[in-house]
């Protein structure tokens, strides 16, 4: 790949724990792409899930990236053009964009309570179907919506995803992934009416990351392949807003010897354990750079 525009990439961890080996690898690949093409490496902290935040995790992530020599061009504590790089401080932006989607008819208010949603999930599971919302609230009249708003009934905002028969669905479900090549998602998979704004006014990952990727001018999204199935939803959001889409590269995950996913809760996962044991930054960066591919020849430090 030879980008024809300035490369802007972001590493966007959630501070629900300390940085682990897989996170460093994702950050490193983003950093190297930015450096190769003279672009910008941005750190964005996705801290909207306030219930799962770990005290000191954000500061630890920043220290670890500095230890590894991954210099930030923009991020918390810098005077970058995007304002705050903490999503918890960007709530007004997300709510404004959710309102824009409502006004465009690309999203709708959902007043269904958790009991009804759980019933829908249970019924789908019983019949071997993927759980999907049945769009009951998408068919409410404006009068019904106004009455529910008047009485203060809580609601979420859902994406009105393109129907599988809609040509727009094919447009967002098919894309060229830099790592995996041409991707095509069949049928309605990935086109559930995803919740964008929760009843407490906080955004979900889907809305916040798309809005921020656009506003921060992200050109390439390099992230773990667990997000591959969510990409059609994100592309549908870009299309609903009328924004250009970034290119995607979904990186294979690091695994434990038993085949389970390496995570921040694994003994060999946390970066701090390697730092405490005295590993040199150059050695560890070299090691993670070669996990999952190898250019040939002796490359280890």
């Amino acid at each position: 790949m030879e980008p024809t525009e300035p490369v802007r990439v972001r590493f966007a961890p959630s501070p629900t724990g300390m940085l682990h080996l897989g996170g460093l690898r994702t950050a490193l690949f983003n950093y190297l792409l930015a450096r190769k093409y003279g672009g910008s490496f941005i750190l964005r902290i996705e801290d909207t899930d306030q219930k799962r935040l770990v005290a000191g995790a954000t500061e630890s992530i920043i220290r670890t990236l500095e230890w590894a020599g991954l210099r930030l061009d923009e991020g918390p504590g810098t005077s970058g053009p995007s304002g705050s790089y903490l999503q918890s401080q960007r709530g007004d932006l997300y709510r404004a964009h959710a309102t824009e989607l409502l006004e465009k008819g690309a999203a709708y208010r959902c007043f269904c309570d958790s009991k009804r949603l759980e019933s829908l999930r249970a019924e789908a599971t019983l019949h071997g179907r993927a759980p999907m919302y049945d769009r009951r609230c998408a068919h409410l009249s404006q009068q019904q919506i106004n009455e529910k708003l008047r009485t203060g009934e809580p609601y979420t905002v859902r994406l009105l995803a393109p129907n599988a028969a809609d040509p727009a669905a094919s447009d967002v479900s098919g894309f060229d992934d830099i790592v995996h090549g041409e991707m095509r998602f069949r049928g309605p998979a990935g086109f559930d009416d995803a919740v964008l704004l929760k009843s407490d006014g906080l955004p979900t990952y889907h809305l916040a990351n798309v809005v921020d990727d656009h506003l921060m001018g992200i050109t390439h999204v390099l992230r773990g392949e667990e997000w591959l199935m969510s990409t059609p939803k994100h592309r549908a959001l870009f299309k609903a807003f009328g924004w250009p889409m970034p290119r995607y590269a979904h990186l294979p995950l690091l695994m434990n010897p038993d085949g389970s996913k390496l995570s921040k809760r694994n003994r060999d996962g946390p970066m701090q354990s390697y730092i405490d044991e005295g590993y040199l930054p150059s050695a560890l960066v070299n090691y993670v750079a070669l996990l999952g591919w190898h250019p040939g020849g002796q490359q280890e430090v």
Side-chain angles (χ1 to χ4, degrees):
M1 53 171 283
E2 291 292 335
T4 57
E5 58 186 337
V7 167
R8 287 178 61 82
V9 295
R10 46 72 164 180
F11 176 53
S14 175
T16 55
M18 306 308 167
L19 189 65
H20 65 92
L21 203 62
L24 177 66
R25 178 171 170 263
T26 299
L28 176 63
F29 284 6
N30 276 279
Y31 176 83
L32 293 176
L33 185 66
R35 291 294 169 263
K36 179 175 175 63
Y37 294 105
S40 299
F41 173 60
I42 299 163
L43 175 65
R44 186 172 76 219
I45 302 296
E46 300 195 339
D47 58 347
T48 56
D49 190 351
Q50 296 288 303
K51 295 179 181 177
R52 297 177 58 224
L53 296 187
V54 171
T58 295
E59 294 76 13
S60 175
I61 290 169
I62 294 172
R63 284 196 306 270
T64 303
L65 293 177
E66 291 175 347
W67 173 86
L70 307 190
R71 180 179 57 81
L72 302 178
D73 296 302
E74 298 174 31
T78 71
S79 56
S82 299
S84 177
Y85 293 87
L86 302 176
Q87 285 190 334
S88 60
Q89 297 178 6
R90 298 169 64 84
D92 289 345
L93 281 171
Y94 308 134
R95 287 185 283 274
H97 281 86
T99 299
E100 179 183 336
L101 291 177
L102 288 170
E103 292 172 347
K104 285 182 172 182
Y108 60 92
R109 294 178 177 87
C110 177
F111 297 90
C112 293
D113 59 23
S114 57
K115 184 176 179 180
R116 181 172 190 274
L117 296 176
E118 182 54 43
S119 176
L120 289 174
R121 281 191 290 268
E123 183 180 0
T125 302
L126 182 64
H127 292 89
R129 302 191 306 265
M132 281 195 174
Y133 181 60
D134 61 0
R135 288 192 167 175
R136 176 179 179 178
C137 290
H139 305 294
L140 293 175
S141 68
Q142 190 59 52
Q143 183 179 353
Q144 290 173 308
I145 294 172
N146 291 341
E147 178 59 23
K148 291 178 180 294
L149 292 175
R150 187 188 67 80
T151 59
E153 195 168 328
Y155 65 88
T156 60
V157 175
R158 286 183 179 271
L159 171 69
L160 186 61
N163 186 283
D166 188 333
S170 175
D171 185 42
V172 298
S173 65
F175 61 95
D176 183 41
D177 187 90
I178 294 171
V179 173
H180 294 269
E182 186 177 352
M183 302 298 300
R184 289 284 170 188
F185 290 84
R186 297 180 179 178
F191 286 100
D192 189 19
D193 289 358
V195 173
L196 304 178
L197 206 64
K198 295 178 279 191
S199 58
D200 58 6
L202 291 174
T204 62
Y205 170 81
H206 303 300
L207 177 65
N209 105 88
V210 166
V211 168
D212 283 345
D213 282 350
H214 172 70
L215 295 181
M216 295 180 182
I218 301 304
T219 60
H220 296 73
V221 174
L222 280 67
R223 60 188 181 186
E225 64 183 7
E226 70 265 37
W227 294 110
L228 193 58
M229 290 296 291
S230 294
T231 305
K233 293 180 184 179
H234 300 162
R235 287 173 58 82
L237 269 170
F238 275 104
K239 191 173 183 67
F241 281 118
W243 296 338
M245 301 182 195
R247 291 201 64 192
Y248 290 91
H250 288 89
L251 309 175
L253 304 180
L254 299 188
M255 312 299 284
N256 293 307
D258 63 1
S260 60
K261 176 186 170 184
L262 186 70
S263 78
K264 61 192 75 174
R265 284 167 286 278
N266 290 100
R267 180 179 62 84
D268 295 326
M271 280 294 303
Q272 191 59 47
S273 64
Y274 295 95
I275 297 173
D276 292 343
E277 289 174 18
Y279 284 88
L280 298 178
S282 57
L284 201 62
V285 166
N286 174 257
Y287 174 66
V288 298
L290 299 174
L291 287 175
W293 78 288
H294 203 291
Q298 187 69 21
Q299 301 284 334
E300 289 78 7
V301 172

